[in-house]
Amino acid sequence: MTGKTKRTPRGRKRGGVRAILSLLLVATMLSPAGAAELPSIDLTSFTLEELLHLEITSVARKPQKLSDAAAAVFVITQEDLRRSGVTSIPEALRMAPGVQVARIDASKWAVSARGFNGRFANKLLVLIDGRSVYTPLFSGVYWDVQDLLLEDVERIEVIRGPGATLWGANAVNGVINIITRRASDTQGTLVTVGGGTEERAFTGLRQGGSLGEDGAWRIYAKAQERDDAEGRGGLDGDDDWTSVRGGFRLDWSGAGKDQFTLQGDAYDGRAGQTSAEPVLAPPYLRIFEDETDFAGGNLLGRWERTLSATSGLTLQAYYDRTERDDVLIREKRDTADLDFQHHFALGERQEIVWGLGYRLSIDELRDGVTTSFDDRRRHDQLFSAFLQDDISLVPERLRLTLGSKFEHNDYTGLEVQPNARLLWNPAPGHSAWASVSRAVRTPSRAENDAAIRLLTVPPSLFVPLPTALNVQGDSDYDAESLIAYELGYRVGMGEKAALDLALFYNDYKDLRFGPTVTPTLAFIPSPHLVLPLVIDNDLDGETYGAEVALDWRPLDWWQLRGAYTYLEEDFDLPDAIPTEVIGFVRGFDPRHQVSVRSGMDWRQFEFDLWWRWVDALRGAGVDDYQSLDVRLGWRPAPAWELSLVGQNLLEESHLEFVPEFGTLATEVERGLYGKVAWRF
C-alpha cells in the first residue's frame, strides 16, 4: 500500500443522512391519520396453484398467466420481499433460479443470468416499470442507484434466456422487470424505521391519497446508511454507503377506456470503496480509499387505451438523468425514450403485438485514474420495431409464438433478433414449452473508444521490466450473438406442490476478447513494456445447464420453496493467452447454486429461514460458501409489524466475488437489524 486519499469527510455525509432520517421520522408524526390498515397477508393467502396463475407481462408484453408463458420465468412477489428480510433489489434476486448474484462490497453487486457475471456484466437487461436502467457506458447496471422503496414493489419478473425479440439488444441472457404498485394500492400512510449492525439506519415514508373517483397519488421518501464491510485480511473495507431518494406516482382512469400514469424519482448518495490503480513501481498496485458520488432522476409517462376486448395500445415516454463521479469514470448522461405498442386479435386464433421505439442517449465523460476515452461527448440513437404473432394451433392445447425485433444502432447498424416458441398443455395443470431464439449484444461506449490500464505484471527473470497490460477499445468491434435453445416443464400439483424445470443450451459467437499484439517499449514515466489487448470478436463458446424451482406446502401453516441452478461453461480460448487475463474470460460463475426458503405462520407470528449454498468461483479464487438468514415477524395489531432479521449467520464473514478491476472486494459480514412498519 503506497498511500490513502479521501475526497470528502465521511462524518459530515453520515451526519447529513442521519439528519434526513430524523426529519422523515418527525414528518410521519405530522401526517394525517387515515383509515388504511396493514393488510393481513400471509403465506396461506395464495395456493400454489394460484401462484402459477399469477398475471405477468414481461414475456409477451401483454398480460398472461405464468403457467402460459413459453419461457423460463420466475416471479418474486411483494410477499416474498417482505418475508425474506432483504433490503435491496440485488439481494432479492438471489431467490430466482438461474440468476448469479454476488456482493462485491457494501454498495456493489455482480448480477447476471446464466453466466458471464461481473461488476460490469453486460448480458442482462433490467427494467423498472418499463424504463431501462442499464447504462450504454458498459451495457450493465449500477445497482447502488436502483434502491427502491421495497414496499412499493408489486413484483419482480425474472426471465432467464433471451428476451430480445420484444425488449431488444442486451436482453441476451435474461430480462428483469421490476414492477411497482399502482397508486390506488398504496393509500394512506406507511412509515418504516429500522437499523442494526450492518444496516446501520434506514427509514421510509409514503403517503397516498385519491384524486376524485378516478385517480390516485402517492409520494415517498427513503434514506439509508450501511456500515463498512470487512476488507480482506481483517482490514476495514472503507465502503460505507449512504443514499437518499424520493418520488411520486399519479394514476388516473378515464371513462373506462384510458389509463394515465405519471411517475418520477430523484436520488443522491455516496459510496466508499477501496480502489486499486496499477502503477509501474513496486508494489505495482496503489491501494487507496476513495468514494463514488452519484445523483440523478427520472420522469415517466404512460397512456394506455382499451380499444376493444381484444385490442389496445400503449404509448410511453421517459427521461432519465444520471451523474456519477467515480475513480474509474466521471459520467453525466441524459436519456430520452419513446415507445409505442399495439395488440389486437386477428381472427379467432391469432393475437398480434407490434411496436415502435426510439431512444437518444447523450453522455459527457471525464477520464478516471485508469480509464480514458477518445471522445468526451457522444450522441447515440436507437431505432427499433418488433412484431410478434401468437397462434393457437389447437385451442387450449398447443400454441405457437413467432416474432422478431429489428433495431438500428450507431455502432453496428441493423440487427435482427427473431424467436420461435411452442407451448403444449398435455393435461390440466401441466405445460411444456420449447424455444429457439437469436439475440445480440451491441457494443458499449467503453468497447468502442476506451483505454483501460488493466494491471501491471512485475519484472521477472525472463522479462526484466514491468509490463503494463492495457485494454483498448476498437471502433470496428462488432455485436456479440447468441443462438439459444430452451426446454421447460411446469406442473401444479393441487394446493400442495408446484414444480418448474428449465433446460438450456446457449451457443455464443463473436464474444468480446482482447488478443495481445506485439509489446512495445516505453520510457515515460519510467522504462516499461506495454502489452496492448485490443478488443475484438475473437471468442466463441457455449453454456448449458438446468434450473429447478419447487414449491411445497407440507402443512397449511408451513411452506417450503427451493431452487437449484446448474451451469456449465466452455469457451474456445486461444492457445496463446496471458494467464493474468484468463480469469476475465471464465471462472466468475458458480457451477451449482442451491436455495431453500421456509416460511411458518402461527397466530400473529411469522418465522422465516433462508439457506443458500453457492459453489466456488474457480477462476476468481473464491471459495464456496453457505449463508443463512432468519426473520422473526410479529403483528401485535393490524396496523403494526415488527421484525428482527439476522443475515449471513453461519460465518463471521465470507468473500463472494472479486471484481474485474478498479476496486477491491470486501467480505460480507454477519448482521442483525430490527424493523418497524406502521400503516395508518
Side-chain angles (χ1 to χ4, degrees):
M1 182 178 294
T2 61
K4 293 184 177 182
T5 61
K6 289 187 180 181
R7 298 194 319 201
T8 17
R10 295 189 178 177
R12 185 173 61 201
K13 284 277 190 175
R14 284 181 173 177
V17 170
R18 287 179 181 141
I20 292 171
L21 295 176
S22 301
L23 288 173
L24 286 175
L25 184 57
V26 171
T28 64
M29 302 296 106
L30 303 177
S31 299
E37 293 185 347
L38 184 66
S40 179
I41 301 174
D42 55 38
L43 286 174
T44 61
S45 60
F46 290 101
T47 67
L48 298 181
E49 189 173 18
E50 288 172 336
L51 289 175
L52 286 176
H53 288 75
L54 281 176
E55 187 176 276
I56 61 174
T57 58
S58 301
V59 175
R61 291 188 75 155
K62 64 179 181 179
Q64 64 177 162
K65 294 186 294 184
L66 174 62
S67 58
D68 289 340
V73 58
F74 185 88
V75 178
I76 301 170
T77 65
Q78 168 59 218
E79 185 72 353
D80 292 329
L81 296 173
R82 188 182 70 85
R83 296 290 295 256
S84 66
V86 299
T87 58
S88 66
I89 294 294
E91 295 300 314
L93 295 177
R94 296 182 191 268
M95 301 182 207
V99 178
Q100 288 78 43
V101 178
R103 194 159 199 157
I104 297 173
D105 64 17
S107 64
K108 300 180 188 65
W109 286 265
V111 181
S112 187
R114 294 183 174 175
F116 297 91
N117 203 14
R119 180 188 174 190
F120 304 105
N122 55 26
K123 294 177 176 58
L124 180 67
L125 182 65
V126 181
L127 308 162
I128 298 179
D129 289 326
R131 174 175 58 89
S132 174
V133 298
Y134 92 102
T135 170
L137 180 64
F138 62 91
S139 298
V141 176
Y142 290 121
W143 288 101
D144 51 3
V145 302
Q146 318 309 330
D147 185 30
L148 303 176
L149 185 66
L150 293 183
E151 287 80 5
D152 284 350
V153 176
E154 178 179 305
R155 66 187 185 275
I156 304 174
E157 299 180 1
V158 182
I159 303 171
R160 296 100 61 201
T165 295
L166 295 178
W167 300 107
N170 303 313
V172 178
N173 282 10
V175 177
I176 294 174
N177 194 4
I178 303 164
I179 300 169
T180 61
R181 304 169 71 183
R182 295 184 59 84
S184 57
D185 297 328
T186 54
Q187 299 292 281
T189 303
L190 166 70
V191 182
T192 60
V193 179
T197 58
E198 298 304 309
E199 306 291 345
R200 294 292 298 274
F202 58 88
T203 188
L205 170 64
R206 183 186 70 211
Q207 182 69 46
S210 61
L211 293 171
E213 296 182 356
D214 299 321
W217 61 271
R218 72 162 174 259
I219 57 174
Y220 81 92
K222 176 184 179 180
Q224 63 87 25
E225 176 183 326
R226 200 174 201 281
D227 194 24
D228 295 308
E230 181 177 319
R232 302 181 71 175
L235 301 175
D236 189 350
D238 297 311
D239 59 344
D240 55 307
W241 174 32
T242 59
S243 67
V244 212
R245 68 187 302 122
F248 74 96
R249 175 162 175 161
L250 306 174
D251 290 305
W252 182 76
S253 300
K257 293 184 177 181
D258 296 289
Q259 295 188 18
F260 298 92
T261 296
L262 182 66
Q263 62 188 79
D265 305 273
Y267 59 87
D268 184 82
R270 57 152 300 278
Q273 60 190 10
T274 301
S275 298
E277 178 189 6
V279 293
L280 296 172
Y284 302 104
L285 190 67
R286 184 172 76 96
I287 308 297
F288 58 98
E289 296 176 19
D290 189 64
E291 68 179 36
T292 297
D293 296 308
F294 52 84
N298 61 81
L299 184 66
L300 180 146
R302 184 186 307 110
W303 168 52
E304 299 173 85
R305 162 158 283 197
T306 301
L307 301 176
S308 69
T310 59
S311 177
L313 57 85
T314 302
L315 180 64
Q316 175 180 283
Y318 68 80
Y319 166 75
D320 193 305
R321 167 74 173 184
T322 62
E323 297 184 17
R324 193 174 188 89
D325 189 354
D326 192 287
V327 65
L328 292 176
I329 190 67
R330 294 163 179 83
E331 175 188 14
K332 294 181 180 179
R333 183 173 298 277
D334 295 279
T335 303
D337 185 277
L338 182 64
D339 184 84
F340 171 79
Q341 176 183 314
H342 179 212
H343 74 271
F344 61 93
L346 184 63
E348 296 182 354
R349 293 196 176 188
Q350 287 181 270
E351 293 184 30
I352 306 293
V353 181
W354 69 278
L356 302 171
Y358 171 76
R359 181 176 302 163
L360 172 65
S361 181
I362 304 173
D363 65 34
E364 180 181 340
L365 307 178
R366 287 188 296 158
D367 297 343
V369 297
T370 60
T371 57
S372 61
F373 287 80
D374 295 338
D375 298 324
R376 299 299 176 88
R377 292 179 60 88
R378 179 159 180 152
H379 295 59
D380 288 327
Q381 297 185 89
L382 179 68
F383 299 87
S384 64
F386 76 89
L387 174 65
Q388 181 162 286
D389 189 0
D390 197 347
I391 308 166
S392 176
L393 300 178
V394 180
E396 307 297 328
R397 287 285 184 176
L398 191 62
R399 195 173 79 240
L400 174 65
T401 302
L402 302 172
S404 185
K405 184 86 168 185
F406 307 90
E407 287 188 327
H408 186 279
N409 66 83
D410 290 342
Y411 294 99
T412 63
L414 180 65
E415 300 288 353
V416 180
Q417 302 173 87
N419 81 352
R421 297 179 181 272
L422 189 66
L423 179 73
W424 176 43
N425 299 112
H430 295 251
S431 61
W433 58 272
S435 72
V436 180
S437 310
R438 182 181 188 269
V440 301
R441 187 189 69 82
T442 55
S444 67
R445 175 82 148 86
E447 290 163 326
N448 185 260
D449 65 355
I452 303 172
R453 280 186 287 148
L454 190 62
L455 56 88
T456 299
V457 181
S460 65
L461 179 63
F462 301 101
V463 183
L465 293 177
T467 302
L469 270 67
N470 297 338
V471 176
Q472 179 64 54
D474 188 350
S475 59
D476 292 330
Y477 182 68
D478 206 352
E480 302 176 348
S481 66
L482 162 69
I483 302 295
Y485 306 88
E486 299 177 271
L487 292 172
Y489 183 77
R490 295 187 187 93
V491 57
M493 294 165 273
E495 299 182 1
K496 291 297 183 180
L499 174 69
D500 192 336
L501 169 67
L503 306 175
F504 67 92
Y505 173 81
N506 290 342
D507 185 11
Y508 298 92
K509 300 294 183 184
D510 302 323
L511 292 172
R512 181 179 66 195
F513 184 71
T516 58
V517 298
T518 304
T520 60
L521 182 62
F523 296 94
I524 298 176
S526 61
H528 65 282
L529 293 176
V530 177
L531 187 61
L533 290 84
V534 180
I535 289 178
D536 207 344
N537 302 93
D538 284 351
L539 186 65
D540 296 335
E542 60 185 32
T543 65
Y544 54 91
E547 300 150 355
V548 182
L550 175 64
D551 284 5
W552 178 40
R553 181 172 287 137
L555 300 169
D556 291 341
W557 48 268
W558 183 22
Q559 184 167 352
L560 292 169
R561 294 183 175 180
Y564 170 71
T565 301
Y566 172 72
L567 174 66
E568 194 67 57
E569 300 171 318
D570 185 15
F571 298 104
D572 300 328
L573 293 174
D575 295 332
I577 174 175
T579 56
E580 292 83 4
V581 301
I582 290 180
F584 296 99
V585 180
R586 64 183 181 189
F588 277 66
D589 305 299
R591 180 174 294 171
H592 305 278
Q593 291 186 108
V594 182
S595 168
V596 178
R597 290 183 288 149
S598 168
M600 301 180 182
D601 295 296
W602 183 71
R603 296 184 178 179
Q604 297 95 357
F605 292 94
E606 300 167 334
F607 183 58
D608 299 285
L609 298 172
W610 186 7
W611 173 82
R612 301 184 300 275
W613 174 71
V614 179
D615 202 1
L617 308 185
R618 301 176 299 280
V622 177
D623 294 334
D624 68 308
Y625 63 89
Q626 298 183 57
S627 181
L628 177 66
D629 296 349
V630 177
R631 175 185 175 273
L632 178 62
W634 177 41
R635 290 181 171 177
W640 289 88
E641 179 184 352
L642 290 78
S643 57
L644 184 64
V645 179
Q647 298 175 310
N648 305 298
L649 298 180
L650 297 181
E651 297 180 276
E652 185 175 344
S653 64
H654 66 268
L655 184 68
E656 293 190 355
F657 203 77
V658 176
E660 299 92 315
F661 61 92
T663 58
L664 299 184
T666 58
E667 297 191 357
V668 179
E669 295 183 283
R670 180 185 294 135
L672 180 70
Y673 76 84
K675 178 181 177 181
V676 178
W678 180 31
R679 292 179 191 247
F680 56 94

